[in-house]
Amino acid sequence: MSALADQPRAFAPAKDPVLEITNLSVDYGYDEPTHVLRQVSLTLNRGEVLGLAGESGCGKSTLAYAATRLLPPPGLITGGQVVFTDRDGTRRDVLALDDAALRRSRWQDMAIVFQGAMNSLNPVHRIGRQIADAITAHEPRTSKADALARSAELLDLVGINPDRLRDFPHQLSGGMRQRVMIAMALALDPQVLIMDEPTTALDVVMQRQIVEQIADLRERLGFSVVFITHDVSLLIEIADRIAIMYAGEIVEDAAAQDVYRRPRHPYADGLLHSFPPLRGPRRELGGIPGSPPDLASLPTGCPFRDRCAFAFDACAAVQPELAPSLVPGDDPARAVACHLHTPELVAAAGFAPRPLPDRLTLT
Amino acid sequence: MAAEIIVEPDTLPLQDAAPSGRKRRFLWMRNAKALTGVAILAFFVVIAVVGEWIAPYDPDARSSDLLQPPSWEHWMGTTHMGQDVMSQVILGTRSVLLIAFVAGFLATFIGIVVGITAGYVGGVGDEGLSALSNVFLVIPQLPLIIIIAGLLPSAGGLTVAVVIAITGWAWGARVLRAQTLSLRKRDFVEAARANGESTWRIILSEILPNLTAMIAAGFVGTVSFAVLSQITLSFIGITPTDTWNWGTVLYWAQAQLALQRGAWWWYMFPGVCIALVGISLTLINFGIDEFVNPRLRSTGLNAKTLRRRGIRPRIGFTPVVHEAKEDRA
Amino acid sequence: MRFFVRRTIFYAITFWAAMTINFFIPRLMPGDPVSALIAANQGKISPDAIAALKALFGLDAHTSLWQQYVSYWSLLFQGDLGISFSAREPVVDILARSLPWTIGLVGIATILSFTIGTLAGIAIGWRRGTRADILLPISTFFSTVPYFWLALVVIALFAVRLQWFPASGSYDRSMVPTLSWEFVGSVLTYGTLPALTIVVTSVSGWILGMRNMMVTVSSDDYVTVAQAKGLPERTVMFGYAARNAILPQLSSFALSLGFIVGGTLVMETVFSYQGIGYQLLKATAAKDYPLMQGCFLVITLAVLLANVIADFAYGVLDPRTRQEG
Amino acid sequence: MPPTPRGPHDDPDDRVPVLQAVDLRKHFPVRGLRSTAVVHAVDDVTIELYRGHVVALVGESGSGKSTIARLLAQLMPATSGRILLHGEDATARGRRAFRAYVRRVQMIFQDPFGSLNPIHTVRYTLTRSIRIHQGRLRGAELEAALEELLTRVQLTPPARYVDKFPHELSGGQRQRVAIARALAADPEVLLADEPISMLDVSIRLGILNLLRDLRDRLHIAILYITHDIASARYFADRTMVMYAGRVVEQGDSEAVTQDPKHPYTQLLISSAPDPDDLDARARGARGEAPSLVRPPAGCRFNPRCPFATDVCRTEVPPLLPVGEGREAACWGYSDRPDRPRVGSVLETYGARKEADR
Amino acid sequence: SGGGSGTEDPKPGQTQATSNERSDKVLTVGMPNGEASANQNPIAPGSGSTSFGYAYAIYESLMQVNEVKPTDPPAPWLAEKIEWNADYTQAVITPRAGVTWSDGEPFTAEDIAYSIQIRKDNPELNVDFPDQYGEITTDGSTVTVGFTTGQLVNEVKLYKLLIVPKHIWENEDPVTYTADTMIGTGPFTLKSFTPQAVTLVPNDGYWGDKPLVGELRYDAFKDNAGLTTALTSGDAQWGWTFIPDFENTFIAQDPEHFHQVAGGGFGVDVLYLNNEEKPFDDVAFRKALNMVVDRADISATAGYGVWPQITSVTGLPEPSGDAFISDEFAGQELSVDVDGAKQVLTEAGYTWDGDALVDPDGEKVSFTLTNPQGWTDYLDALSIIAEGAKSLGADATVEPVVQDTWFNQIINLGDFQASLHWTDGGSTPWNLYSNIMDGASYVKRGEPANWNFGRYKNDEVTQALATFKSSADEGERMAALATVQKRFVEDVPGLIIWSRPAVAQYSTVNYTGFPTAEDPYANPQPTGPQAALILTRLKPTA
Ligand SMILES: Nc1ncnc2c1ncn2[C@@H]1O[C@H](COP(=O)(O)OP(=O)(O)OP(=O)(O)O)[C@@H](O)[C@H]1O
Ligand SMILES: Nc1ncnc2c1ncn2[C@@H]1O[C@H](COP(=O)(O)OP(=O)(O)OP(=O)(O)O)[C@@H](O)[C@H]1O
Ligand SMILES: [Mg+2]
Ligand SMILES: [Mg+2]
C-alpha cells in the first residue's frame, strides 16, 4: 500500500542466475555445533549487485565464506548446494568440487574480499607480487612481468599509485590495504565478486571512489557482486537487489529501492530506517527493540517474533518460508519470509492467518 | 509455495554454547595424544616414586648370572657383575625425572623471566638481558659442570639440575624475547594497557598465555635437553656413578663394551626408557598446544569424531557433509 | 646509524663478558693439567715427573690471576692463543686443523637437518590432523634418545655388523689429505654415519618448531586469502604459510649455525671425528687451558657472528622489522 | 528529542576541558639504513574535550585520527605538544601515573580483530576491566556486573557471549566487547576509535544511544572517531575534520556537516552516500592521500584541491575563523589578496563528470 | 743381542709359516689416544710422538730392558755397554759403533752426551732424574753420566732414555722443538703424519736387522671401545687396551690369529688404607679385611682375568717377584678366611651388634672406598672388596668421586679411608714396597704426598728400603727386603689387589713374532723403547 511510485533503475540486470545457493546449512563446532546458517537459499544474477545486510552476527560473512568454501575450522557445511553457472552455461556445484577443480574455479569464477581485509595480506611479500600471484596461478602463460604490469593497472584502478607495487603491506594504511585487496579480487575478471564489508576502514571519499570504480567495472565487465555492508545508505545506492538476513536466514529479498521504500518484513524496515540521515532535518531514531536471538539455540518458528510488533500465534510454531510478497502491485520476484505473506502455510499448520496490516513499520 | 511446514521439535536443550570454566579445564583430557603422553609419564613417575619397593633386586648386588640376556628372573638381563639391569633402570628413574624436571622448570622459569622481561621492557634493559643470554649461550656447558661439580663436595643430582638449568635457559629466553617483542606491539596488549592493566598482569595474562605453546615446546625441549645432558654427563663419567640413573646404566654398559659383546639388553632398555619419556613429553606438548590455542581446540579435541565423520578440517577447503535437512523449496 | 653503533657496543660487551668468563672457567676448574696427564697415563708416568711437567706447562711461575688476565687479552689481540699443554703445539694450529672438519661435517649435517626438518614440519603442520602426524612421535623418538646411544647403536649396526661404513675417523687412515676424488670419497664415506646420526637426532626439533609455527600461521587470514585466490597448494603452503612460519625458525637456525663450530661434542667424540668439539672435550679432560680457551674463543666468535647474521637475516626476511614504531 | 548542540561553556565547571591536547605532533621514524625520514602522522593538532560533550573526528583514512586517540590515551609518547587533564599537565611519567590516568581516560580500539586477546574469553576480558576499575567483585556481583555490561552493548542474552572466545564472535560482536571493556572503567573521557564501524545500523544506533546516554547522564567527554559522517552529525556536538595529519576544519557538527567550508570537507560530505538524495554526490573524485613522509608543502590538500593557487602550495594555512565557533584551514577564507576562490566542490566534480561523458 | 733369533723354531701359538722377505702389508698399531698431535718431540713428556708411540720406532734407547722379566740383564742397544760404579752414582756408556742417523750422519757418543745433557739442563724434560744428574762428560768414545744419588733401583730409567741427534737438535730449543723431520736411529722413519694416522716406513740404513714390516701405521681411535672395535675387526693389528671379557670379545673373533699377552713386572694395584684414620688405624682391622678380600673373584670379575691375581702374602706378583719372596713367606698364599678374620677381630676386642661389626670403642665399623668415577675396573674391584667387608659386618660403601678431586684433594692429601692406586714397576720390588710404605715419602695428612698415600710410618721399614736402594751388597739388600716384607705382611699397610702387567693385543694375520707368553722377550706393548726390538723381530706371514 505504499504510495511511492516505482523508479526505474538505470541498470536492469538480466535474469540469468550466475550463483544459486540452495538450502545451505553451516555449523560451527563439531561436537556441540551452532547452526549458524539453516537452509539458506539465495540467487545472484549475472551482472547484478546483490546487497547483503543484516544484523551483526547473523551470518553474512559465514554465508560468503561458505559459498566459497573458505570457512575456517571449526566451520562445517552440513548441507545444500552452491551452483555456479559459467559464462558458457556449464553449471557446477562448488560444494561438490574436488580440490583441484575448486582451486581452478576460485578467483576466476568467484573472488572474495574479506572482512578485516587489513590482515588479509601476506606481510612478507610485496603487494605487487601478491596480486601477480593470483594472475600467474590461473594463467600460467602470463609472464611475471606482464602479471606485474597488470597488477600496476589494477592498483591504479583502485586509486593507488602503481609505484606502490613494491611496498610491503605494513607500509600501507588500512584503507590502502583494503583497496589492494579489492584490486587483487579484480585481477582475474571474476564473474562473481563477494565483498565482505570492503570499505569499513575507508573514509567516504575513498569509499565513493571504490564504489564507483566497482560500478564502472561491473558495467564494463559484467560481473556480479555480493556486497556485504552495514552501511545501508551505501547499499541502497549501489545494490540492484538487497537480501536482508536475520539470525542465519534470509528474511527479505527484493530490488534495492523496493526494499528501502517498501519493506515487507518488519525487520527489514527496522534495519533500513534506523540510520541517521546526513542531510535534511535531524530526526530521532529508535532502532529495533529487543535483541537478536541466540543462534546456538534458536526457538522454533520465526526467529524475529520476539521483537516483532505483528507477531501472532503461528509465528511461534511455524518457521516462515521465503515467499512472494502478498502486497498487491509488488514486484513478483521479490520474496519475504513472514507469515503475514504466507497465509496458506499458516493455515496448513492449523493457525488462523492474519491479514496484512496497512503499515508494516515497527515504530 | 509447495513448502511443507517445518515444526522444529524443541529438542535442543538450552545450555551454554561454550563449556563452562571447570569443564574447559579438563577438556585436554579428551585429547588422545596428550592422554597417551600423560599416561606414559605417569607410569615413569610412579616408578620413580615407588621404585625402591618394586625393584626386584638390589641394583648393586652381584649374582652369578653374569651378562645374561633377559629372562624370567631378570626381565632386562644382567650386567657383567650379575646385577639386575631392570632394578638399576627402575631405581634410576627417580634421579632422571627429578633432575630433568627440576632443570626443566628452572630453565624454563629463568628463560621466561629473562625473555619476556627483555622483550617487554625493551631498550637498555633488553640489550642487557639479551647480552646476558648471549653470554650464557656461549658458555660451554661441559666445563662449567665440571667446575661446579669440582667446587662442590658431591655433585649430586640437584647440582647437576641447577647447572643444566643455568646453561640451558638462554635459548628459550631468546625465542621468547623475540616473540614478546612482536606481541608487545599487538593491539590487544595496547588495549589492556589502555584499560589500566598493570605491567605484570599484562605480561602474565596477556602475553604469557599467547606464548604458552612456545613455552610448552620450550619446556619439553629443556626437559629433554636436561635428560640428555644428565645422561650424557653420567655417560662421560662426569657426574657420580654411584647413584643410579639411566645414564649410569649406559655408562657401565659402554665401559663394559656391552654392544661389542652382544649384550644389547644392557643398552637397549635404558635407551628406550629415555626415548619413552621424551615421547611422552612431546605428546603432552601436542596436547598443550592444541588446547591453548582456542582456534585449534575443537579440531584437536574432536579428532576422532571428525575422522569417523570423514571430516578433515582445513584452511581454505571447508569440509562438506550432507547431514542437515535440505528440503526447503 | 645509531642503531648500528648500539648493536656494535652490544656485541662488544657480550664478547668481552663471554671471553672473561671463558678465561675464568678453566682456572676455576679443579685439578691441573699435570695430574690430568698422569691420570691419562695411569701408571705410566710416575708422580715423580710432576715437577718436570709443571715446568713444561709453565705452571711453576706464579703470576697473579690479574696479570694472567691482562696478558690473556694482550695475547688474544695479537692472535696468540698459546701452546696446548696436551698436544704441545700451538693452539692456533690445532684450531685451524679442526675447524674445517667441524664446519664441514656438522655444518652440512645441520643444514641438512634443518632443511629436512623444516620441510617435514611444513608438511606435517599443513596437514595437521592427518596421519602425517605419526611422523612426529617417530622423529621425536630419535631426538629423545641420547645422541651417543644412537651413535653407538649405529656404529654397532652399520659399521661393525654390516660393515657398510667405517666406525670412526674422518677419512681413510691410510690417506694423506689431498684434493683427490679418492680422498673426497673417503671423507664422504667416513662422514656419512656421523652426519646421519646428527640429522636423525636433531631433525625432530626443526620439525616440531616448524610444525607449530605452521599451525599458528595457517589460521592467519592471508593464508585463507591465498587459498581463496586458488593458488596452487604448493604456493600457498610455501609462499604464504611457510614463508611466514619460517621466520622464528630461521633465527634458531642462525643460532645453531653458531653452535656448529662448537661441534656436537659428543658426536665428534663417539666417531672420533677431528673437530673442535672433540678438541674441547679433550682439552677439558686434560685441563689444557690454552686449548680450552682457544676452543671457547672460536665458539664464542661463531655464536656471536651467528647472532649478527640472525639479526640481519630477520631484518631482511621480515619486512616489518625494517620499520619501527 | 533531538539534542540541541550546546556551547562548551554552559556550566562554569565545564569551562576547563577535561582533556586537552595542545599542538600535538607525532612523527614516526622510518627505519632504514641511514634514514632520518619520519612519517608526519599528526602535526600541530589542538583538541579540547569537555564534560558531557562529544567531539567527532572525521577525515581521510590514514590522516592520523587513531594516532591522536593513542596519543591522548598516552599509549605512545608525543613528539611534541602537551596533554592536559583538567588543565594540568598529564604526561604520565611512570606506571602509577599512567594507571591513574587510564582510570579517567579510556580508549576503544579501532580494530576489534586485534584488540581482543585471542586466548581470553569475553568473560576474562570484561572481568579484568571490572576488577581494575570497580574493585574486587566476586561471584554473583561479578556476574551481575558482567551481565549488565553485555546488556548495555546489546550482547544479549549475556550468557551466550560471556564464555566465547573472540574468534567465535562476529566482527560487530567483538567490537561491542571492546566497547563494554572501556565502559567498565567508568571513565571521564572515552576515546572511541571507530567503535561502530562493524555494527549493523540498528545496533549502531543502540550503541550511539548508549554513548549519548553516558554523555548526558554521567557527563563523560567523548572523542568519537568515525567515517560515518551522518553519525557524527547525529551524535557529536563538535566535529573536527582531518586531512593528512592536520585539522582542516572544525566547528559545530550540524554546521560542519550541512555547510562545509574547507574544500576537503566539502568533498567528504558530498561523497557520503545518502539514499534519499542520490544526486548530491561528488562523482569521479580521484587522487589519493599524500605521502606523509614527504607531505606536500603548504596546504596538504593542495594537490587535490580544484581551487589551489600558489599560496596554497607554499604556505601552510592556519585555522581561520569561518563563522560562529567554526574554523577552517584554508587560505580561501583569509583576507589575503592572493587567496584562492573557493567554490563548490560538488559542482566542480559534477561538472567534470559531465565533461567526461 | 738385538737381532731376532729367526723363525727356525716357531713358537707355540704362532705356528704360522713366515717369510724372510719384506712384506708390503701395513702393520696397523691402534692407539686409543683419540688424535695424534703434531708434536714429534720424543723427549718432551706427554708429547704426541711418545704418547702415540711411533717415537719408539724412530728413536731408540740405550739398552733394551725386558720389563716382563725385570731381573734379566738388559740387552745392549744404542749403547754397547753401560757400566756403573759401586754406589751407582756414575755410569759409563759405550755407544754402539756403525750406527747412523736416518739422515746419514754417524751416531756418536756426542749424541748420547747431548741427549742426556739437555735433560739435565731443562727441568721440563727431566722426568726421570729430577735434580739428580751430576756431571755429564764424553771423551769421544764413551759418555760418563754422574748422579747425585745412587740409582740402583732407577738404572733402567737411564737405559730407556731416547737418544736424539745432536747435529739437528743443538740448533733448537729442545723443549719447544717439534722435530717434525724425526731423524732417528730406529728401524723406521716417518713417512706421513695426519692427526688420524702416522705412517712409518722402514729405515733402509738401519744398523740392526732390517725390519720386514713394509709399512707401519699408528691409527688413532677415540677411546678403548673404539680401539677394541678396531682390534676385534682386524682393522688394527697391535695395540693395548683393556678389553672386558677379552676371550669372548676379542680372541674368539679369530682365535687363530688374535692374541692377548700379559707380561710380568712388578706393577701392582694397591688398596691404600688410611693408616691414621679409623677404622684402618687398627692393624687388626686391616688384617681382617685382608683376609676377606676375594682376590680371585676380583681378578676374574672386575679384571676379567686381564689383571692376574696375586697369591703371595708378600704381595709380590708372579713370576717377576718369585725370586724376591723371603723364605719366611715362601709358599704362603692369600686366601679368603672369614672365620679367621672374625677371630682376629674378636681377639682385638671387636664385637658384633647383630650383623654389624662394632669396634673396641663401641662404634660401628664403616668406611668408604673412594676412586674416580669412570675407572670401572677399580670401582668393580672396590665393590667386591666392600662385599668382603660386609661379610665381616663392616659397612663399606663405594664412592666414585670426580677424578680431579681424587687426584688433588683425596689421594695425595690422604683424605680417604681406602682407595685403589697403582704402584711403579721398576726392576725390583723396591718401588712396590716403597710406594706403599716408605717413611721417606711420608708427609702429614693434608699435605700432598707423592707416594705412601696411606701414611704408613715405620722407621725400620724406611731404613730397610733405603738400604735396599743404596746398598751394593746383595745379601744386605735381601735382608732389608725380608724386613720390609715381614712388616708388610704383619702390618698390612695396604692391600695388594692384583698385578698390573703390561698387556697387549695383536693379530698375527700379517706379521708374527710378537712376544708371547712362552717367549716373553720384551714388554709386548708398542709404546716403549722395546718397540724397536719387537719391530725388528716381526716376520711377514707367508
Ligand atoms: N568459530 C565459531 N564458533 C562458534 N560460533 C561462531 C564462530 N565463528 C562465528 N560464530 C558465530 O556465527 C555467527 C555468524 O558470524 P558471522 O561472522 O557470519 O556474522 P556476520 O553476519 O558477518 O556479522 P558482522 O556483520 O558482525 O561481521 C555469529 O553469531 C558468531 O558468533
Ligand atoms: N607505528 C607506526 N609507525 C609508522 N607509521 C605509523 C604508525 N602508526 C601509524 N602510522 C602512520 O601514521 C598515519 C596515521 O595513521 P592513523 O592510524 O592514525 O590513521 P587513521 O586516521 O586512524 O586512519 P584510518 O581511518 O584508516 O584508521 C598513517 O600514514 C600511518 O601509516
Ligand atoms: Mg562479518
Ligand atoms: Mg584509525
Side-chain angles (χ1 to χ4, degrees), chain B residues 60-62 66-67 80-81 83 146 149-150 153 155 237-242 251-252 254-257 260-261 266, chain E residues 223 225 228-229 242-245 249 297 301-302 304 373-376 379-380 383-384 387 398-400 402 404-405 409:
Chain B
D60 298 301
R62 300 197 297 140
L66 302 185
L67 214 59
H80 68 301
M81 304 256 283
Q83 295 149 329
I146 297 176
I238 282 172
T239 50
T241 41
D242 57 338
Y251 167 77
W252 281 100
Q254 168 67 0
Q256 298 299 331
L257 300 183
Q260 281 92 333
R261 294 162 70 184
W266 200 350
Chain E
D223 57 9
T228 305
T229 308
F242 181 87
I243 303 180
D245 193 17
T249 317
D297 188 8
T301 310
Y304 282 109
Q373 54 209 13
W375 298 13
T376 54
L379 293 176
D380 280 344
S383 60
I384 298 174
E387 271 177 26
V398 177
E399 184 184 282
V402 179
D404 297 303
T405 317
Q409 285 155 34

Side-chain angles (χ1 to χ4, degrees), chain D residues 65-67 110 193-194 225:
Chain D
K65 303 182 296 295
S66 302
T67 307
Q110 176 174 12
D193 191 355
E194 302 193 26
I225 300 176

Side-chain angles (χ1 to χ4, degrees), chain A residues 201, chain C residues 323 325, chain D residues 28 39 41 60-67 110 194 227 292:
Chain C
Q323 192 177 357
Chain D
F28 292 105
V39 177
E60 201 208 3
S61 79
S63 60
K65 303 182 296 295
S66 302
T67 307
Q110 176 174 12
E194 302 193 26
H227 286 307
L292 291 180

Side-chain angles (χ1 to χ4, degrees), chain B residues 98-313:
Chain B
L98 197 71
I99 294 186
F101 279 94
V102 170
F105 276 117
L106 213 61
T108 310
F109 179 76
I110 305 177
I112 290 175
V113 169
V114 174
I116 296 186
T117 316
Y120 190 75
V121 173
V124 179
D126 176 22
E127 307 252 296
L129 288 173
S130 302
L132 187 74
S133 33
N134 271 350
V135 169
F136 271 90
L137 269 181
V138 299
I139 291 182
Q141 187 193 23
L142 190 67
L144 194 66
I145 290 184
I146 297 176
I147 293 175
I148 297 181
L151 292 178
L152 295 163
S154 88
L158 287 185
T159 318
V160 177
V162 170
V163 177
I164 292 175
I166 288 177
T167 49
W169 61 267
W171 191 293
R174 271 191 69 99
V175 176
L176 289 179
R177 173 189 164 268
Q179 197 61 22
T180 310
L181 218 56
S182 89
L183 281 177
R184 183 177 66 138
K185 290 190 188 142
R186 299 267 173 94
D187 262 2
F188 62 79
V189 174
E190 289 276 271
R193 217 152 69 80
N195 194 233
E197 284 283 21
S198 60
T199 307
W200 67 270
R201 261 268 179 194
I202 290 181
I203 292 178
L204 285 186
S205 308
E206 306 292 332
I207 294 183
L208 201 59
N210 275 294
L211 298 171
T212 315
M214 209 164 255
I215 291 173
F219 176 72
V220 168
T222 326
V223 171
S224 314
F225 169 79
V227 172
L228 292 189
S229 303
Q230 170 202 12
I231 281 165
T232 307
L233 288 172
S234 301
F235 177 75
I236 339 184
I238 282 172
T239 50
T241 41
D242 57 338
T243 46
W244 287 106
N245 70 42
W246 301 336
T248 328
V249 181
L250 286 175
Y251 167 77
W252 281 100
Q254 168 67 0
Q256 298 299 331
L257 300 183
L259 275 184
Q260 281 92 333
R261 294 162 70 184
W264 54 269
W265 57 89
W266 200 350
Y267 222 77
M268 208 48 81
F269 292 110
V272 167
C273 286
I274 296 166
L276 277 178
V277 169
I279 290 178
S280 75
L281 288 168
T282 314
L283 289 175
I284 294 173
N285 178 29
F286 293 163
I288 293 176
D289 95 19
E290 277 172 3
F291 178 70
V292 294
N293 187 341
R295 281 170 187 261
L296 302 182
R297 192 172 299 164
S298 62
T299 346
L301 291 179
N302 299 297
K304 212 180 275 165
T305 344
L306 291 179
R307 210 162 294 150
R308 195 162 32 72
R309 286 164 74 186
I311 300 170
R312 181 154 90 79

Side-chain angles (χ1 to χ4, degrees), chain C residues 237-250:
Chain C
M237 189 159 131
F238 291 108
Y240 284 71
R243 177 63 176 71
N244 282 280
I246 208 168
L247 289 172
Q249 186 88 342
L250 273 175

Side-chain angles (χ1 to χ4, degrees), chain E residues 406-436:
Chain E
W406 184 77
F407 263 109
N408 295 295
Q409 285 155 34
I410 294 182
I411 191 73
N412 59 343
L413 302 184
D415 190 13
F416 62 90
Q417 287 173 300
S419 185
L420 267 172
H421 194 287
W422 58 90
T423 62
D424 271 353
S427 55
T428 65
W430 184 83
N431 295 68
L432 188 161
Y433 288 121
S434 164
N435 290 171
I436 300 172

